[in-house]
Every structure is written in structure tokens, then in C-alpha cells.
Amino acid sequence: METASLSSHPHRNDSRRTDLLESAFQLVLEKGIESTTIVDIVRRAATSRVTFYKHFKSLADILSKVQESILHQFRAYLEEHVKGNTGLEKCRCIFRSSLKFYEQFKDELRFTMMFDQYESFIRSSHSEGLSIYSKGWYSRYLEEGIRDGTLPDTAQFRLLFISMVNATIALVQRMAMHGERIKDESGHSAGEILETIAGTLETALTWQHSV
């Protein structure tokens, strides 16, 4: 995880807090969530438990804050790269941008998948940021397309689009976690598979609009 992305978030300018977040992120990638402890984190950050508890309530809290930072980074990346003159064009761009995010931030995606597998960490956290992002960052593009008439205003299409976006996120997470294994099994790289899926989803959106 890039330290700059952490320190650029509001209230994250404290260097010790950033060091703790970065240490938690790296340790989860190395050891997994179940094997990561507060002792491990403070040791990696070269600080103390007293300092840890000045910034975080618990292990679940710091891991939730790392997850929140990644989701913030993902949303900021999409807002920068999702382009187009219509809602349809922007919605199609979501899939291509998700592929580009995968190529640049595989470790961040690996963390999100590990975090999502342990729902107890989410339930025990009261992170406002997670609740904000769980509302659906993609809805603005869907609603824009419906308003400008480039996307159909039906319950069936809304469900289809939401399913496509969530399937894409799940796929890039899995590719980030098991890309080499999938390549060995299929004979195709994660990039090739994601490129094909992105193209298929873009075509499906266009087809739905023309129906």
C-alpha cells in the first residue's frame, strides 16, 4: 500500500498512525488476518502498544481502517479514470478501470479479499467510511445513464448492472489472490481473462441499451 494514499486521507497526517496502518497491511498480506496480532503490528512499526491504542481501539479497528483506505483509493481511482459523455459510456468504463486498478494495486485487492472473508472484523468495527462505501459508489453512473436516457430505467436492468459490478469486483479480487494458480489451470493469464470479461460486460451494457 502506498503511504501517500494513507496520509492524504483526512486525519491521517500522523506519521506513527500511518506506520501502524502500513505495518498492519503488510502483515496481513504476509501472514493472513488470523495470524496477525497487535504485538506484531507495533513491533513492525517500531512503536508501542500505548501508541497503538492512541490511534486505534482494537485489531479489528485498524484492519477496518486499512480496508477503508483501500476503498477510498479505489473510489478516487475510478472517479479519475471513469470518463465519458453519457452514463452508458461511464458505466462501460467502470469495467475497464477496474481492470487497470487490478494491474496497479494487486496487493490492495488481496487485502480486501482477506478482509471480506472475516465478517466479524467488519461487524465489530464502527468505521463510518466502510458504511459510506458500502452504499454503492457506482450508483451515480447508473443514475446518470437513466437520467440521460442511455440506460433503461427498469428494476431488471438495475439488478443486472449491480450484479455485473459486484461480479467484476469479486473477479479482480480472486485474480489478485490466485492469479498464478488460475493461469496454471487455464493456460491464460489473469490479465487476459479480465480483459475478456471487461469486453464482454461492456458489450452486454450496449446490448441492453439497444433492446
Side-chain angles (χ1 to χ4, degrees):
M1 173 180 289
E2 298 179 358
T3 302
S5 67
L6 291 172
S7 60
S8 63
H9 196 278
H11 311 302
R12 288 188 176 162
N13 294 321
D14 185 277
S15 61
R16 290 189 181 276
R17 188 178 191 276
T18 300
D19 288 345
L20 287 164
L21 288 164
E22 182 67 24
S23 296
F25 172 73
Q26 294 295 340
L27 283 163
V28 167
L29 294 180
E30 294 170 14
K31 303 173 60 173
I33 287 180
E34 289 183 319
S35 299
T36 297
T37 67
I38 292 175
V39 172
D40 294 330
I41 294 170
V42 297
R43 186 175 297 158
R44 175 68 67 89
T47 187
S48 67
R49 290 173 68 96
V50 172
T51 300
F52 178 93
Y53 285 111
K54 285 181 179 178
H55 298 286
F56 307 103
K57 299 176 183 178
S58 62
L59 178 63
D61 184 37
I62 190 172
L63 295 181
S64 293
K65 293 300 191 298
V66 175
Q67 175 82 341
E68 178 187 338
S69 178
I70 294 172
L71 294 176
H72 173 83
Q73 188 177 20
F74 188 25
R75 179 172 179 175
Y77 183 91
L78 284 172
E79 289 179 346
E80 180 181 353
H81 290 84
V82 171
K83 308 293 184 182
N85 297 318
T86 67
L88 170 61
E89 291 174 356
K90 292 176 182 178
C91 285
R92 291 180 63 187
C93 196
I94 287 176
F95 305 113
R96 191 68 56 186
S97 297
S98 298
L99 170 59
K100 296 298 183 183
F101 189 87
Y102 160 80
E103 293 172 346
Q104 296 184 40
F105 302 101
K106 292 180 184 178
D107 284 345
E108 283 78 358
L109 287 167
R110 284 178 58 214
F111 183 96
T112 64
M113 186 171 186
M114 293 179 184
F115 185 87
D116 287 347
Q117 289 175 341
Y118 292 89
E119 293 185 0
S120 60
F121 283 96
I122 301 174
R123 288 197 299 268
S124 62
S125 170
H126 299 289
S127 170
E128 182 181 357
L130 286 177
S131 63
I132 290 172
Y133 294 117
S134 66
K135 294 178 181 178
W137 45 264
Y138 46 80
S139 297
R140 57 184 290 190
Y141 306 114
L142 172 62
E143 296 303 326
E144 182 178 341
I146 290 173
R147 286 195 303 271
D148 65 26
T150 58
L151 292 174
D153 186 10
T154 66
Q156 182 180 10
F157 178 77
R158 288 175 183 271
L159 177 59
L160 173 64
F161 180 72
I162 291 169
S163 300
M164 289 166 65
V165 171
N166 281 280
T168 301
I169 295 171
L171 180 61
V172 294
Q173 285 181 314
R174 183 168 185 266
M175 289 297 183
M177 195 77 177
H178 305 296
E180 291 304 315
R181 183 190 307 170
I182 293 170
K183 181 177 180 180
D184 292 339
E185 293 173 352
S186 67
H188 297 281
S189 69
E192 289 175 321
I193 294 173
L194 290 171
E195 183 74 26
T196 300
I197 294 296
T200 301
L201 293 175
E202 289 174 348
T203 301
L205 270 182
T206 303
W207 179 79
Q208 283 289 327
H209 170 59
S210 64
V211 171

